[in-house]
Each structure stands twice: as C-alpha cells, then as structure tokens.
Amino acid sequence: MEKRFITAMMMLLLGIVTSMAQSAIVKGKVIDKTANGPLAFASVALIQSDSVIMASAMTDTDGCFQISAPTDNYMLKASFIGYKDATVDVKLTGNDSDTYILYMEEDARMLQEVVVKSQLPKTTLKGDAVVTTITGSVLEHSGNANDVLAKVPGMINRNGNLEVLGRGTPIYNINGHKVTDDAELRNLMSEDIKSVDVVSNPGALYGGNVRCVVRIKTLKRQGEGFSYALTSQARKYTTCRYFDPSWTVLDLNYRTGGWDFFGKFVYWAQHSFQISDIYGGTFLMQNGQQVSKIQDGTLKAQVYRGGIDPSFGANWQINNNHSLGFKIEYATNTFDDQKVIMDNDFVVNGVVEDHVFSVSKTKTPISEQWTGNAYYDGTVGKLNINFNADFMRAKIRNEVNVNESSWTTPADLYSHSEADAQMYAGKLVLTYPVWKGSLQVGSEESYYDGTQQYAINKSDIPAADGKNKENTIAGFAQYAVSLPFGQFTAGLRYEHVDFEYHDYEDATNNLTRKLDDWFPSISFATKVGKVSVSLSYTGKTQNPSLHALSNEISYDNRYTYQSGDPKLLSEKQRTASLSATWKWLTFNSNYETVKNGITQWATPYNDDGVVMIRYKNINETYHKFSMYLNASPKIGVWNPRYTIGYSKPQLKMHVIDQREATGERIVERNNPMYFLQTNNAFILKNNWQLEVNYQYTSKMSDEIMNKVKPTQSLDLSVQKSFLKDNALTFNLSWVDVFNSNIYHFETDFGSYIINQSADSRTPGVVLRVSYRFNSAQSKYKGTGAGQSVKSRM
C-alpha cells in the first residue's frame, strides 16, 4: 500500500513537472516594513492591464512567493489585511531571474501608532503562530536560544523545562530542521535569531501526536568562507560541593559557491539531584478487616552523566530553485552513574514492622544513537517540492545493583536491561498555488522495529523479552487563502498504523492491531480595529511512547515495581484556541478535551505492600482550559515582560477502593493554576545588560496529581559583550537564589495514596562564555520525517 501511494505521488509529480517546465516565473518576497521582517500569508497577484487577475499565490512563512503565468506585462500586487497594498510593474519574458521585493506598511487607519525598532519584541499573529521578532528588540542580546525562549510570550519554565503554556513540551524547529539535541538551542545565540513562532495548535502538516511547535528562524548571514562559534558553560551548585563543566559546543561552517559544509562537536557533563520525603501506602480489606501498609521515609538520588555529540553535513544550493543536502548526528554517553538511597519504615496498621535501607547503583555501559536526514527542496514552475528521508538507530544497556538492609529479609539484587531500536521514515510535501491561496498535499511514512530485554535475580519478577513493530502511513492536505476580511486555513490528515507486539516469554501477551484516524484542522485570522485575532481548531492523537508499550516489569525498590502495557490505546485530543495581539499585549487561550488520556497508575501488586506503577488509559474524559496575558512595554532602560496565566482542569475519576461499600469512589482533579512571570531587563550603556526574573506558580491539579504547595524562583544575571559585533559575550547568573522551587504533590489512586516532595537542588552560579568568528548559520533546509516516532523512541 505504501509503495503504491508513493509511486502515485511521484507519477503525479512527474506530470506536473512536465506541464510546468516552460512556464514564465516571477519570484519575490514581501517585507513588513515596520518590523523589517518577512510577511507570511500575504496575497500576491499578477494583474493584467484590464484588471484581470492572471495568477496569484500566498507568501510562505519566510515571506517568499513564486507565480507562473504567460509572458506579458503585469502589475504585481501584494495585499494583507491591516496593511497598505504594495505594487510593482513586471515584464515576464520567460527568461526572468530577478527577485521582486515588495515592502508593505501598516495601514494608519487601523494602526495609529508607530512601533520604534529596538524598543520591544514586536509580537504579532501570523497564520497559525504567535510570532515574536527578536532582531532589533530587547531580546536580541539576552543570551542563547534557551534564554530567548524563556522570555517569549506563550512560553513557561516549569521545573527547569520549557513548555508552551497550557500545551506542554513543544517540538522545536530551527529553519525547518527538527532539533534533536539541546546543544542546538544552547549554541544558537540570540543575536542570530530573527524570530520565534509559538504554535499552540498546529495543523495537518504536523504529526497526529504533535501538540505544539516552536519554530525558530535565524538571520541569513551574507558572505562565504570559514566561520565558527565556541560556547562553554560551567556551574557551581550553592547547596552542595559539586562543580560542573556543564557543556562546551564547537560549531564549524565553511561556505564556497553553492556549497555549505558544517559540523558540530559537543562535550557535556552535569549532575542532577533529587531529595524527597515520601509517605505512601496501600489500603486493603483482608478477612473483612482494613489493613494499611505504609512506606514512610526519604529518597536521595544523584546522577552524574556526560557524553559527546558530534554531527556533520553538507548542503548544495544548486540554484535559486533547487537545493539538497544531508546531515548525520551521533550521540553517546561516555559515563553515566546513578545512585539512589532510600531509607524507609514499613508500617502495618500503625506498627513499624520493618526498616529498609537500600542503595541502588546504576551503570550504563552502552548508550548511543545515530540519526540521519537527507532532503531535496525545489521549485518547478508553480510547484514546490520538499522531500525528506530519515533514519534513527538507538541502543542502550543498563546494569543495576541494589543492596537492601532489612530487619527481616535483607537482599542483594542485580538486574540488566537492554533495548535496541531502529526507525526509517520519508516525507513528501507538494505546494501549489490554487485560486487566491496555496494548497499543500503530501505523504509521510515511517517504520519502527525495536527489541527489549530485562532480567533480575528475583523470583517474583519474570524475565522480559519482547519486540515491537510499527508501520505508519499518513496523507495530508492543507489549503490557506487570504481574503479581504482575513486569512483562512483548513487541513485534514489521515494516519494508518499497523502495530505488532511479540512477547518471547509469554505468547498470551502477543498483540496485533490496526488504527485509522482522521485529524481535521481549521483556523481563521483577521483584524478588528487595532486588534489582531486568530481562531483555530485541531484534532490530534498522542500515541503511547514505546517504553510505555513494554510489558517488562522493572524493580524500583522493595515496595515499588514498574511496567508498561502493550494494549494501551492512543490518546485523543481536541483543541480550540483563541489568540489576540494589541500593541504590546498578547493574549492566548486554549480549551482541550482528552479521551483515553495516558498516565502512570499505581495499584497494589500483592499482599506484602508492593505497588505496581503501570501505564494506563484514563477511562474518563479530561477537560482543560488555559489562558495567558503578556505585556512587554518599554520604560526607559527598563524592559519588563510580564505574563499572568490561568489554567483550570476538569477530571472526575472512578477509582477502586476496597474500603468503600461499593468497591470504588470518585476522585476529582479540578484545582486551578495561577501563574506569574516577571522578566525585567535593564539595557545599559557599553553593552551591559542586567536581569531580575521571578516566577510564581500556585497550587494546582495536573491530570491525576495535585500539587499541594506553590513554587517560586528568583534568578539574577549580568551580561557584558565585547569586540566588534559583540563577538565575545560573558554571562554570569545566579539561579533560584532562595532555593524555593521545591515541589510538593499528592496522588490518590484509590487503594494507594502517596504524598511526596521533590527538591532538585537547582540553586547555583552559572558562567557562560561565547565567542563567534564570522558567524554563519547553515543553509540546511531538511525538515525531517517520522518526528513523532523519533520522539516516542
């Protein structure tokens, strides 16, 4: 089926290429004159002397367009709601090679103000995204890409992880290329970033399990020759004795003619910690009597790992219409040491029956991953062709030694696990102007094959040896058109999945299933007076991670086991979004409905107080409303960026509880979250920049968990740039000054309840130094395929 589909697509492509090969072409770009950046989704038309529109197109996300028409004299006209029309006379002869630039100004009748460059990040709504211009704004000198993203409207830092507010962790793209390692964001300096698009509700072009996307566009540096960038960061923790070299990234680039050769070498080494107080236990009925079995104690975890991540590739810009290239990446851990100490009392009906002190040490002798991408991007006539082929190969092996001292049954345990997986994918996207808009159609296919084994010297935990296979084919279409009253986009995506799980230890666990899903998307953007407004709706599916589909039972500690479930269903999501911008204010809201939500669920495993934590689907439908308002004005040297947010979940679960006469009860998770983020940047003379940043998050419900105490953090930083074009930059930061970002949560599973704190010991002093010589960004245009499968690996 998949081969026939691709063959049909290629035959269609060949026919279109043949028919369009002799067309006269006009190319160009539409520029927002105020923001000095590209204007996406503007309408461009070739108009004859009798006012007849001969052909039209819509600009892409880079503001570029291409129109094919018979040779003649025309007027080229660009229009966009809220802007004055821009026109230029053109003559098509069939041998044209000029690129026409059309500058569009905001209509003074709708926008009565002038935005001054370098005063504030200009945030607008364009197409499916909230777009923040970085060049010429206060964010231009804020550090690296991570520092920029933490301050962009719509982003939130939760426990050290960047998320799209209300939508979770995003997929990142830099110039269309998917980010596969953190080093790409670490080494991308803010001076090289042109804009950031936050897409909270992506449409049909993205995989069914992609909930949100952040697209980063870089400046296109001119010139050829050799360039490099070297960035290094070190950290001294203030709550312990450790000093981390953190990471060092060397980026190399060489350009000559149409060729672009690039490479990267990353070395990293860092600690992570967790100190927790844990109180949890099972509540069962035995022989008509209630029996409680409680674990009460502490957990201390320390991880120290490091590795190297080299990559290299090449890009060939054949001409303005055609380019191709490849990229190979390798990542491996050179060391990986984990140590977990648990000190617990085991209390039965209020009486301490055992005290367990355990030390678990984990070694990872094998942890490596190869990824590769090859692409072609070209234009023939009116048709744009983008093709990507990807592969990924990953392997990991863990060895765990556990020493448990106990009043009753001390034990020494050893376990080992190994996983080996490979993935191949291809994606073809064709773009063609239709009427006043642009039509995109395409296909995406991926194949995954993975094995996993696990064994432990404990009789009640069976050995595991299983294999997963998954073959996915998707077809999608999206049409975008700019009309006098606004921009309209509609899309539809179809995905077919063949999944097979084979258990070599227990054939009764074997599973084969086929899934077919349709994912619609629709959006509309317009201007109401001075306010830009966007509405959108999408349907998505979150497939289980491949780890969650594993049936192996792993040993956490004497009273906690973990496992997955090969029979997990996919999570179905439906999301409606409303966004608006006015001057320096940005507003966004989302309403989400989730069916078959995937979570980890704890239940009693036996009569000895052991708990099994297993992935499962939530039977009840989960609703969530979230919203935020961002203000980014400028007051002298002070550049505040304040965000207030609110999130309200709605989940009512029926949980099994043997203490109840009916055998079950209702647990509700409806507590709202209130969020405040204040970023204060002070831009001083001689390239000095000071920042005082504060974040507060209230108590809240997060799916099945209740966060029972608020968290907050205060960060301070000072930055100074030197040399021409600020090539050398020093940044000194004090992170989480008061060590107040400590999480406290409780989860009620019915027959099992747990209360836990989590202190990650984040406070520290961080020094980052970067030097850029003749800085150039790679011209690589590969967008990647099979991204949803990669993330699940």
Side-chain angles (χ1 to χ4, degrees), residues 278-284 295 556 559-563 598-606 609-618 653-659 665 667 704-705 745-756:
I278 301 174
Y279 180 89
T282 60
F283 301 89
L284 304 174
Q295 302 171 57
D556 279 5
Y559 301 109
T560 309
Y561 300 169
Q562 287 200 43
S563 184
I598 299 173
T599 189
Q600 285 186 293
W601 196 265
T603 55
Y605 182 66
N606 56 29
V610 177
V611 173
M612 172 65 74
I613 300 176
R614 190 188 297 272
Y615 286 91
K616 67 162 286 185
N617 294 109
I618 300 175
M653 301 178 292
H654 293 264
V655 300
I656 297 173
D657 190 341
Q658 296 181 11
R659 295 171 294 177
R665 57 186 171 88
V667 173
I704 65 171
M705 180 185 71
F745 60 89
E746 62 89 11
T747 308
D748 186 349
F749 299 99
S751 295
Y752 177 72
I753 298 175
I754 184 170
N755 293 272
Q756 183 173 345

Side-chain angles (χ1 to χ4, degrees), residues 164-182:
V164 175
L165 203 149
R167 301 293 290 152
T169 304
I171 298 284
Y172 292 101
N173 284 278
I174 299 177
N175 295 332
H177 164 67
K178 175 152 185 314
V179 173
T180 56
D181 64 88
D182 292 340

Side-chain angles (χ1 to χ4, degrees), residues 330-534:
Y330 176 72
T332 184
N333 288 6
T334 53
F335 60 91
D336 192 332
D337 298 322
Q338 304 176 47
K339 183 178 181 179
V340 179
I341 298 175
M342 296 193 69
D343 192 357
N344 289 312
D345 284 331
F346 184 59
V347 184
V348 180
N349 291 337
V351 178
V352 179
E353 291 197 353
D354 197 3
H355 180 85
V356 179
F357 181 83
S358 69
V359 179
S360 171
K361 296 181 179 180
T362 302
K363 297 288 185 181
T364 306
I366 300 175
S367 177
E368 62 180 15
Q369 175 178 293
W370 286 93
T371 58
N373 168 261
Y375 83 94
Y376 165 76
D377 187 82
T379 302
V380 181
K382 297 181 181 181
L383 180 70
N384 176 259
I385 310 159
N386 184 273
F387 176 75
N388 281 264
D390 283 69
F391 81 90
M392 175 181 282
R393 179 69 185 269
K395 188 173 184 178
I396 187 170
R397 178 183 174 88
N398 285 321
E399 298 173 352
V400 184
N401 286 280
V402 182
N403 175 262
E404 293 180 344
S405 62
S406 166
W407 291 351
T408 57
T409 54
D412 286 300
L413 303 173
Y414 169 77
S415 68
H416 71 271
S417 62
E418 187 167 338
D420 193 344
Q422 54 190 343
M423 188 277 301
Y424 304 94
K427 184 177 182 179
L428 174 68
V429 181
L430 306 176
T431 306
Y432 194 79
V434 176
W435 190 46
K436 297 182 179 181
S438 177
L439 175 66
Q440 291 182 294
V441 297
S443 171
E444 185 172 9
E445 300 179 57
S446 63
Y447 173 77
Y448 167 83
D449 188 330
T451 60
Q452 55 279 329
Q453 296 86 33
Y454 177 83
I456 185 172
N457 62 334
K458 198 172 190 307
S459 59
D460 64 333
I461 299 181
D465 188 0
K467 183 182 184 71
N468 287 317
K469 287 186 178 181
E470 185 176 279
N471 191 26
T472 302
I473 179 170
F476 53 85
Q478 180 170 289
Y479 180 69
V481 60
S482 182
L483 302 172
F485 52 85
Q487 294 80 48
F488 178 81
T489 304
L492 185 65
R493 184 182 183 94
Y494 165 76
E495 289 188 1
H496 171 79
V497 179
D498 286 317
F499 175 80
E500 178 183 329
Y501 174 75
H502 187 79
D503 191 330
Y504 296 111
E505 298 289 339
D506 184 356
T508 61
N509 290 324
N510 291 351
L511 177 67
T512 300
R513 66 183 180 188
K514 299 180 184 292
L515 302 174
D516 293 277
D517 288 296
W518 293 89
F519 309 115
S521 63
I522 188 170
S523 66
F524 177 73
T526 188
K527 269 196 172 180
V528 181
K530 298 179 182 180
V531 181
S532 298
V533 181
S534 174

Side-chain angles (χ1 to χ4, degrees), residues 518-520 537-540 572-576 591-594:
W518 293 89
F519 309 115
Y537 168 84
T538 61
K540 294 287 183 179
K572 306 294 183 181
Q573 305 160 354
R574 299 293 181 264
T575 307
Y591 181 77
E592 181 181 29
T593 299
V594 177

Side-chain angles (χ1 to χ4, degrees), residues 666-681:
I666 294 176
V667 173
E668 296 189 63
R669 291 292 179 254
N670 303 325
N671 295 333
M673 177 197 77
Y674 299 94
F675 167 78
L676 171 66
Q677 185 180 63
T678 63
N679 297 319
N680 302 275

Side-chain angles (χ1 to χ4, degrees), residues 185-330:
L185 297 176
R186 291 169 183 162
N187 199 43
L188 178 57
M189 296 295 101
S190 56
E191 292 84 356
D192 294 320
I193 300 176
K194 180 168 65 175
S195 64
V196 174
D197 300 1
V198 178
V199 186
S200 62
N201 207 6
L205 298 184
Y206 296 94
N209 67 333
V210 178
R211 299 184 64 189
C212 48
V213 178
V214 172
R215 300 188 297 242
I216 301 173
K217 299 176 185 177
T218 64
L219 294 169
K220 295 182 179 179
R221 305 290 183 181
Q222 302 298 316
E224 298 189 346
F226 175 73
S227 66
Y228 69 87
L230 180 64
T231 305
S232 186
Q233 177 172 297
R235 180 177 189 139
K236 174 63 178 73
Y237 294 91
T238 56
T239 55
C240 61
R241 60 185 175 83
Y242 292 105
F243 173 84
D244 278 351
S246 292
W247 47 263
T248 298
V249 182
L250 175 63
D251 227 334
L252 304 172
N253 192 277
Y254 179 73
R255 289 181 179 176
T256 178
W259 287 94
D260 180 24
F261 302 94
F262 53 90
K264 179 184 294 183
F265 183 84
V266 182
Y267 170 78
W268 59 276
Q270 58 191 35
H271 282 88
S272 59
F273 310 93
Q274 179 177 320
I275 298 177
S276 296
D277 293 318
I278 301 174
Y279 180 89
T282 60
F283 301 89
L284 304 174
M285 299 297 295
Q286 295 179 356
N287 299 320
Q289 300 294 320
Q290 179 177 312
V291 178
S292 63
K293 298 182 179 181
I294 308 295
Q295 302 171 57
D296 186 5
T298 61
L299 177 148
K300 296 181 180 180
Q302 177 180 308
V303 180
Y304 186 47
R305 56 168 58 109
I308 55 172
D309 303 342
S311 63
F312 67 94
N315 180 83
W316 182 25
Q317 189 79 30
I318 302 171
N319 53 42
N320 290 334
N321 292 330
H322 305 279
S323 64
L324 53 85
F326 75 94
K327 184 176 184 180
I328 302 294
E329 299 173 281
Y330 176 72

Side-chain angles (χ1 to χ4, degrees), residues 104-121:
M104 301 191 70
E105 298 183 64
E106 292 176 333
D107 193 336
R109 293 170 299 177
M110 302 179 68
L111 299 173
Q112 298 297 324
E113 62 173 16
V114 177
V115 179
V116 181
K117 184 178 178 181
S118 296
Q119 281 197 340
L120 62 139

